[in-house]
Amino acid sequence: MEKKSKLPSLTVLILIGAVLGMALGLLIGPPMKNVKFIGDIFINLVMMAIYPMVMSAIAMSFAENTGGNSGKMGAATVKWIVIFTFVSALIGLALGSIIKPGAGMAMGELASTVEATSPSLL
């Protein structure tokens, strides 16, 4: 029979650490910058683990794929790329029309200092 550990799971420990870190950062403030390197190390380790996990998942999906599934998987991939591109373009257009970037800039001063040049290959 397997002995159960009295410690909570790794996920619970990570969440407890994150909440503790936020609470100490809010309560104590600037002196907590001295232990910021611990959080930086943790984030860097997580980022280092992501790439091998994603690449191994992709390699496993190719290894387990049969010839009949390739067409369906390719079509689904293209479909989702087109959908996400369309949605991101709509979000960009909506935010651009709401925020109006560049509105209120005095373009007359800038236009007079810029010379028009034509691109050349030589």
Side-chain angles (χ1 to χ4, degrees), residues 75-86:
T77 303
V78 170
K79 176 186 77 169
W80 284 111
I81 288 172
V82 169
I83 288 171
F84 285 129
T85 302
F86 183 71

Side-chain angles (χ1 to χ4, degrees), residues 4-67:
K4 288 207 172 198
S5 174
K6 293 183 180 185
L7 287 175
S9 69
L10 186 59
T11 305
V12 173
L13 289 174
I14 290 172
L15 288 175
I16 289 171
V19 170
L20 261 170
M22 287 186 278
L24 287 174
L26 288 173
L27 293 174
I28 298 174
M32 286 306 294
K33 288 185 180 177
N34 294 332
V35 294
K36 181 183 177 288
F37 71 93
I38 297 171
D40 292 341
I41 291 171
F42 176 73
I43 294 297
N44 287 334
L45 287 172
V46 168
M47 288 191 314
M48 276 180 27
I50 288 172
Y51 182 74
M53 285 191 305
V54 169
M55 293 309 294
S56 62
I58 290 171
M60 286 300 296
S61 69
F62 279 125
E64 292 175 358
N65 194 13
T66 60

